[in-house]
Amino acid sequence: MLIVKPGSNPLSELEPIDEPLPAIGADEIEPRFRAVVGRGGERRGIRLERIYWDGLGRMSSAGKMSTADLVHYTASQMPEPGNLASLLRVLSFKWALRRLDTVEDASSLANVNAIIQASPSPTILLTQEKKIQLFNDPFLTMLRQRLPLGDTAQLTKSLRFSIDTQIDEAIATLYRNRGKTLNTGFTIAVGSQSMKGQINLALAPTHEKSMLIGYISRY
């Protein structure tokens, strides 16, 4: 059962998700030696943990350069005296954090709300806890047309929204099938009145929690 809370600010009520710390294998903390040959044949022997080599690889791919060229550039920026391995670790982590900041800004709940408000069809955001977190004006218009029960506060106070597929099952299915949508039925009930229809579910592009955007396709 999905419940809409009347008179609330859904953007401020979302609780942060508790993310478990990743497990670390013994091979991941063992520094790996690589001989890097830069331009002009300059050779450097560097020992870094695998995660930093992976980060440098991603950086070099994004910058359309070889890892050797990236190391050579970093060495040219190193102050004297300096530790090249430490500088590469800092550079790799700083680049990853900058990428993470960009992704989190783009996938914020505020941006998801903008997507929902821009939709011309009745659209809602469902949390894994079975609550309607956000909805747009076409959704309210649909409710007023089909379930005329007074003002918005009265309408949402007793509104009950359910879908034919379990939320956890829908989220798991969409995670397995990235880029896909899931069509299922829904029921909205207010008091003794109810309506049914079809809704297209998609994973919400947000990092706060696993949530679903629901586009009502038929009612």
Side-chain angles (χ1 to χ4, degrees):
M1 189 72 66
L2 303 174
I3 305 298
V4 178
K5 291 183 177 181
S8 61
N9 181 357
L11 290 177
S12 65
E13 287 188 351
L14 193 64
E15 297 178 358
I17 186 170
D18 294 327
E19 295 185 6
L21 293 175
I24 300 176
D27 62 323
E28 293 182 294
I29 61 176
E30 184 66 28
R32 300 183 177 193
F33 176 84
R34 287 189 188 179
V36 180
V37 181
R39 295 177 182 178
E42 186 176 9
R43 183 182 179 90
R44 290 184 174 87
I46 303 172
R47 296 178 68 85
L48 292 173
E49 292 77 11
R50 186 179 68 188
I51 193 169
Y52 293 112
W53 284 120
D54 291 345
L56 293 175
R58 292 194 179 193
M59 287 180 63
S60 60
S61 295
K64 294 181 171 55
M65 65 176 70
S66 67
T67 300
D69 287 341
L70 178 60
V71 171
H72 176 78
Y73 170 79
T74 305
S76 69
Q77 306 298 310
M78 184 172 61
E80 293 290 345
N83 184 306
L84 180 57
S86 295
L87 187 59
L88 288 170
R89 288 186 181 93
V90 172
L91 181 67
S92 176
F93 192 63
K94 189 173 183 178
W95 181 85
L97 286 179
R98 188 173 64 185
R99 278 290 181 97
L100 179 62
D101 287 342
T102 300
V103 170
E104 288 190 344
D105 285 343
S107 63
S108 67
L109 193 61
N111 279 337
V112 173
N113 183 48
I115 293 172
I116 290 172
Q117 301 309 322
S119 173
S121 63
T123 305
I124 56 178
L125 180 67
L126 309 178
T127 72
Q128 198 165 6
E129 292 74 31
K130 303 178 181 180
K131 294 178 182 178
I132 295 180
Q133 186 72 31
L134 299 169
F135 51 85
N136 62 2
D137 287 339
F139 180 77
L140 280 179
T141 299
M142 178 193 71
L143 294 182
R144 293 190 183 108
Q145 290 174 345
R146 299 296 299 273
L147 302 171
L149 290 176
D151 59 23
T152 301
Q154 178 186 356
L155 184 64
T156 58
K157 185 176 181 179
S158 57
L159 185 146
R160 301 183 303 279
F161 187 102
S162 62
I163 59 175
D164 297 347
T165 305
Q166 291 292 329
I167 291 290
D168 289 342
E169 179 184 338
I171 291 175
T173 298
L174 291 170
Y175 267 116
R176 288 194 302 268
N177 301 283
R178 296 284 185 154
K180 304 288 186 179
T181 60
L182 177 65
N183 183 267
T184 189
F186 74 85
T187 301
I188 298 177
V190 178
S192 60
Q193 300 187 65
S194 65
M195 60 176 288
K196 294 180 179 291
Q198 293 291 310
I199 187 169
N200 290 320
L201 301 174
L203 287 175
T206 179
H207 63 275
E208 279 95 343
K209 279 189 175 184
S210 293
M211 293 184 284
L212 298 173
I213 294 180
Y215 300 93
I216 293 177
S217 57
R218 183 171 61 82
Y219 59 92

